[in-house]
Amino acid sequence: MTRIDMSRTNKLGYAAVIGMEAYSGKAVEKRLYELIKLRASIVNGCGFCVDMHATDGAKHGIPQRTLHAVGAWQHAKNLFEPKELAALALTDAITKLGPDTVTDEIWSVAAEHFSESELGGIVMAICTINVWNRIAIATEMAPPVDAKHPIV
């Protein structure tokens, strides 16, 4: 059970994150946005968000093999376009912040595939999913269990 419902207890803050989500969803192409959200959620260990974004990715036509490969994208590069690989590397770097994470090399590769405006949108998208992951983990959100997806 979720500890608190942030959309109820912290409406203005929650609305701000919804605004970030709305912006990011328009700024980044849908398939790429779903891959970014799934990858950051995997890196952060957010079960709720991994479930949500794998499900959403499938609904948007991303093949199951590709969705499964997001967890080990570095070893399944043939399942991704070069621009997706660049975005996944940038997602890892921004999500795992530290002194040697968002290197010039990672940024340069991404800049080969995206305009400055597109890069800005991707950075916002990565930051947005990281905010959602932290909210979901802190409040102990869990993937829904229903008749279609019973507990085994």
Side-chain angles (χ1 to χ4, degrees):
M1 181 167 164
T2 303
R3 289 176 171 158
I4 60 172
D5 177 357
M6 297 283 286
S7 67
R8 183 182 56 76
T9 61
N10 301 83
K11 290 179 184 180
L12 290 177
Y14 197 84
V17 183
I18 293 285
M20 290 173 65
E21 178 73 30
Y23 171 81
S24 298
K26 290 177 185 167
V28 179
E29 176 258 315
K30 191 65 179 166
R31 175 185 161 105
L32 186 61
Y33 192 35
E34 291 301 330
L35 295 175
I36 287 168
K37 291 190 292 186
L38 179 56
R39 180 59 191 168
S41 298
I42 289 168
V43 170
N44 286 322
C46 182
F48 178 85
C49 295
V50 168
D51 176 70
M52 177 190 300
H53 300 303
T55 301
D56 288 351
K59 286 180 187 173
H60 287 95
I62 301 175
Q64 286 295 320
R65 287 185 68 209
T66 303
L67 293 170
H68 292 299
V70 170
W73 67 268
Q74 303 93 328
H75 304 288
K77 292 180 180 179
N78 59 319
L79 296 177
F80 300 96
E81 297 174 17
K83 72 177 189 175
E84 293 170 343
L85 294 171
L88 291 169
L90 190 57
T91 300
D92 281 7
I94 293 172
T95 301
K96 300 174 185 176
L97 282 178
D100 298 316
T101 53
V102 187
T103 63
D104 288 342
E105 180 183 357
I106 290 170
W107 188 265
S108 295
V109 171
E112 290 174 15
H113 297 281
F114 303 103
S115 69
E116 283 187 354
S117 177
E118 290 169 326
L119 275 171
I122 289 168
V123 169
M124 287 299 298
I126 295 165
C127 293
T128 301
I129 188 55
N130 275 283
V131 170
W132 284 127
N133 290 163
R134 281 148 180 77
I135 289 170
I137 290 169
T139 62
E140 292 190 343
M141 293 174 70
V145 177
D146 55 33
K148 261 181 123 174
H149 306 95
I151 297 175
V152 181

